Amino acid sequence: MCGIAGLLGPPDAAAALTAAATHMSAALAHRGPDAAGTWVDEAAGVALGHRRLAIVDLTPTGAQPMASASGRLVVTFNGELYNFLALREQLAGLGHAFRGRSDTEVLLAALEQWGLPGTLPRLVGMFAFACWDRESQALWLARDRSGEKPLYYGRAGATLLFGSELKALRAHPAFQGGVDREALAAFLQRSHVPSPRTIHPGVHKLPPGTSLVVRHGEPLGEPTPYWSPVEAAREARAQPWSGTDEEATDAVEALLREVVAGQMLADVPLGAFLSGGIDSSLLVALMQALSPVPVKTFTIGFAEGAYDESAHARAVAGHLGTDHTAWIVRPSDTLAVIPELPRLYDEPFADSSQLPTHLVATLARRQVKVALSGDGGDEVFGGYNRHVWGPRVWRQLAPVPPWLRATAARLTLAVPPSAWDGLAAGLSALWPRLAVRLPGDKVHKAARLLAATGPEDLYDRLLTHWPQAYRLVPGAGAWPERHPPAGVEAFSVADQFLLRDHATYLPDDILVKVDRATMAVSLESRAPYLDHRLFELAWRLPPHLRIQGREGKVVLRRLLARHLPPALFERPKMGFGVPIGAWLRGPLREWAEDLLAPDRLASDGLLDPAPIRARWAAHLAGRLNAEHELWNVLMFQAWHAHQRAARTPGGAPPD
């Protein structure tokens, strides 16, 4: 795992190119504190930079940037290829010789043997890389199928810049920055900036499962896909599972065991995150079955019982016999991370589970350098509440005339949340045994679902915090690129939700959160559930092995019951969150009030203070819970202040 950066521009002196690449990659030192390297071709105007987090082959033979045996290709690579030993054996049979044990050397040999289009489908792993082809004078950029590893790119004048994080691009003297207003509006709506945009105009995220070839003097083309969840699901459905449910569970266990074994390969200490939920518990159970010694597992807990799963994790660890470490964090521990968030996240990011994720990564890094996580289990096997009841909601809404649903929604939203709270209190007073609970903010959220025009719109409304957020950003239009993945409409509503999550929410939210939280402390995170072979097997299974009745992840539950008593994991799903709403009324109030001051909101003309201040006042008064909307605004304000300070002489140090 590493940090990569570089540029392709007009020919320049080697010293200047080296300095630029070194400065860019230095901004990524947290991703690779073990070593640094650069490679330049002054005639071609190419500079590749690398920061190394040594995981496999700790010797200098794994150093990067690395040239192929022939010298034709030079690569800077971030990630892990879990099938590199099998590829190495295959390539050796084709005449390739290897001087070290790194997967980077295998990647270069594969690219020389099969080219970029022939290599990418053969790779099993998480990765982002840039490869300069000296023969064709082309720069190849590529990213793994699910988007575990990030890659940003954009032009600064005549120069193309790329890097693992935006801070690498900002480190180049020609980078302009600025705020894309439509991207800001989309962020306020979704808590992240959706791909392929970034917060900066003209800078893009390379989409998962794609590659891009760049040459001098040619405009940037569209990335070329080599894998997509929709196409993979369609192909898997064409070969449906023909065995019994028990045989299907056996197949999932066999493949998941193989995947976990491959991801446990490392030349450094390794462990796992353990929340006590289904995904992480199954992962740790298989790890422990494969390990001759107790697996190191890590969890954090909270004093607030509604947010604490540490007791469940401890029970699972005790049953499996892992070497378990727990940290019951105090509110002050979590609050101390908040000022660091603008530095950790390159662009505005407001999934509040970023806080506990960073804390558990910090805990794990004290003992290990690699941690396996249960990320991806929900997106592959149907674990979110919206996967289970979202389709049921649409079945109930669809027969009702749209005009009637829209009218009901409009009338419901016209009643303030506090009035719904009062109605609930009044009814409960009249009929105590009825104990009516109508939280106003929940009523409003349900009302917004009433007006959904179809499954796509319903999905968008379920993930929206600020409806029509573009109205908060003067000059912004509605997000023009928020479309479902091509072909998704041919699937059932439940499957549409799963595929949209895998194509959008997973890479833009979940994996951004995990990558930044772990790499900030130089910890490599691996996600076995995101192996594409497991995805393809899951989509061959009958739907009832993913979602049945009110339960999701059915096949994983069956499999986990082979390793743990169901009493240890059969319970309602808990989010990995923190009590942001209460903190904004308490210990974070002064910090938030400063960022939400009317003059500060209006200072750059990027936000309209009036609706934000109204929402803040309502939240403080307890008339509604606006924690998500307000956290989005606060994370942008904090990020923007950090960027402004970094550009000001004598201000905060740059990213």
Side-chain angles (χ1 to χ4, degrees):
M1 188 67 64
C2 307
I4 65 173
L7 58 98
L8 171 63
D12 201 352
L17 290 170
T18 300
T22 300
H23 193 47
M24 292 175 70
S25 56
L28 305 174
H30 54 287
R31 299 185 72 93
D34 297 332
T38 58
W39 179 91
V40 303
D41 183 335
E42 55 187 328
V46 177
L48 306 180
H50 190 264
R51 294 292 310 207
R52 186 182 185 195
L53 182 65
I55 302 295
V56 175
D57 188 358
L58 311 184
T59 71
T61 60
Q64 297 187 51
M66 184 184 294
S68 62
S70 70
R72 173 193 160 194
L73 303 177
V74 184
V75 74
T76 181
F77 170 77
N78 169 30
E80 300 289 351
L81 301 182
Y82 303 122
N83 67 332
F84 82 98
L85 292 176
L87 288 174
R88 178 189 174 110
E89 183 177 353
Q90 184 180 3
L91 288 161
L94 295 171
H96 292 267
F98 299 91
R99 59 187 179 86
R101 297 173 40 251
S102 75
D103 55 355
T104 308
E105 192 176 6
V106 173
L107 172 63
L108 281 164
L111 290 169
E112 284 214 327
Q113 180 68 39
W114 298 306
L116 185 64
T119 295
L120 292 174
R122 288 177 162 90
L123 304 181
V124 177
M126 56 177 181
F127 57 84
F129 66 80
C131 181
W132 175 246
D133 181 357
R134 304 176 77 177
E135 182 178 290
S136 67
Q137 295 286 285
L139 180 69
W140 303 342
L141 304 178
R143 193 175 177 203
D144 66 67
R145 293 172 178 83
S146 293
E148 289 185 68
K149 292 297 99 188
L151 188 56
Y152 296 85
Y153 68 96
R155 289 202 183 277
T159 300
L160 177 84
L161 307 175
F162 67 85
S164 297
E165 299 181 23
L166 284 173
K167 54 174 62 74
L169 278 67
R170 292 192 199 107
H172 192 277
F175 185 80
Q176 294 297 310
V179 173
D180 182 328
R181 290 175 182 264
E182 288 180 352
L184 171 56
F187 160 74
L188 294 174
Q189 186 165 313
R190 287 299 177 90
S191 304
H192 59 261
V193 177
S195 293
R197 297 275 191 93
T198 70
I199 194 64
H200 297 308
V203 180
H204 308 278
K205 303 177 182 83
L206 186 68
T210 69
S211 64
L212 181 68
V213 178
V214 185
R215 291 184 174 86
H216 279 301
E218 295 183 4
L220 287 176
E222 290 296 317
T224 300
Y226 66 90
W227 189 89
S228 81
V230 175
E231 288 304 314
R234 180 181 291 114
E235 292 175 8
R237 282 290 175 84
Q239 305 173 56
W241 183 260
S242 59
T244 65
D245 289 356
E246 189 68 15
E247 290 169 337
T249 306
D250 291 341
V252 171
E253 178 163 25
L255 180 54
L256 186 54
R257 184 182 291 263
E258 177 186 342
V259 170
V260 169
Q263 297 201 16
M264 290 177 69
L265 292 176
D267 294 335
V268 294
L270 174 143
F273 300 134
L274 178 61
S275 69
I278 291 171
D279 303 329
S280 66
S281 297
L282 177 56
L283 178 64
V284 169
L286 295 178
M287 290 177 70
Q288 191 57 70
L290 291 164
S291 176
V293 298
V295 172
K296 291 182 178 295
T297 54
F298 305 92
T299 190
I300 60 168
F302 296 94
E304 297 90 350
Y307 297 87
D308 184 35
E309 285 190 288
S310 62
H312 302 305
R314 184 167 57 251
V316 170
H319 184 88
L320 295 175
T322 72
D323 179 3
H324 190 59
T325 301
W327 176 18
I328 305 302
V329 300
R330 299 164 298 177
S332 59
D333 297 319
T334 309
L335 297 176
V337 177
I338 291 176
E340 298 299 310
L341 294 177
R343 178 181 60 82
L344 300 181
Y345 290 86
D346 270 322
E347 58 184 348
F349 185 79
D351 181 334
S352 61
S353 63
Q354 65 201 126
L355 293 164
T357 303
H358 180 66
L359 289 170
V360 75
T362 301
L363 175 67
R365 187 62 180 90
R366 295 169 185 165
Q367 298 186 45
V368 300
K369 207 171 181 179
V370 178
L372 274 63
S373 81
D375 293 298
D378 290 316
E379 290 81 4
V380 175
F381 289 98
Y384 293 131
N385 290 333
R386 58 178 171 270
H387 299 154
V388 176
W389 59 261
R392 297 170 58 204
V393 168
W394 180 244
R395 284 197 298 271
Q396 294 169 350
L397 291 178
V400 181
W403 67 267
L404 182 57
R405 289 192 280 109
T407 300
R410 187 166 56 253
L411 292 175
T412 303
L413 292 170
V415 179
S418 57
W420 288 109
D421 292 335
L423 175 62
L427 291 173
S428 296
L430 288 173
W431 297 288
R433 296 180 62 183
L434 188 60
V436 176
R437 296 187 73 247
L438 291 173
D441 55 319
K442 300 291 186 183
V443 172
H444 273 213
K445 184 171 184 178
R448 286 193 288 271
L449 300 183
L450 286 175
T453 58
E456 174 189 346
D457 190 32
L458 178 64
Y459 177 90
D460 284 338
R461 289 168 184 262
L462 284 169
L463 271 71
T464 290
H465 296 308
W466 279 99
Q468 298 181 319
Y470 63 90
R471 294 182 177 177
L472 300 176
V473 185
W479 183 254
E481 298 165 11
R482 202 63 185 171
H483 301 301
V488 74
E489 64 281 350
F491 292 80
S492 70
V493 175
D495 288 349
Q496 288 184 46
F497 279 29
L498 275 164
L499 290 170
R500 292 194 67 179
D501 273 339
H502 202 101
T504 59
Y505 178 70
L506 176 68
D508 288 343
D509 187 303
I510 299 299
L511 297 180
V512 170
K513 173 188 68 179
V514 174
D515 177 80
R516 302 305 189 279
T518 55
M519 294 309 293
V521 295
S522 306
L523 175 73
E524 175 171 300
S525 175
R526 299 177 177 178
Y529 291 109
L530 293 181
D531 187 294
H532 71 281
R533 298 167 299 177
L534 193 60
F535 177 95
E536 290 159 7
L537 174 58
W539 280 88
R540 290 186 59 209
L541 303 180
H544 72 264
L545 286 181
R546 286 202 305 276
I547 300 170
Q548 186 172 36
R550 297 178 180 272
E551 278 192 346
K553 297 190 286 196
V554 174
V555 70
L556 296 189
R557 293 173 187 272
R558 294 185 178 204
L559 178 49
L560 184 54
R562 298 176 176 181
H563 300 272
L564 285 176
L568 290 183
F569 63 86
E570 289 292 3
R571 59 182 182 277
K573 182 178 178 64
M574 289 181 65
F576 197 28
V578 289
I580 291 293
W583 287 354
L584 289 176
R585 297 187 185 102
L588 289 179
R589 179 168 179 168
E590 184 177 350
W591 168 79
E593 186 63 65
D594 179 55
L595 290 172
L596 298 178
D599 58 340
R600 190 158 181 177
L601 287 168
S603 61
D604 293 303
L606 293 171
L607 295 171
D608 179 359
I612 297 170
R613 292 295 302 180
R615 195 65 57 93
W616 175 231
H619 182 84
L620 289 178
R623 296 195 298 272
L624 56 79
N625 180 8
E627 62 181 1
H628 296 299
E629 301 99 306
L630 293 170
W631 190 247
N632 289 3
V633 176
L634 288 164
M635 285 296 95
F636 171 73
Q637 287 289 89
W639 173 87
H640 199 227
H642 178 72
Q643 295 303 316
R644 186 186 296 111
R647 294 191 302 269
T648 302
D655 290 330

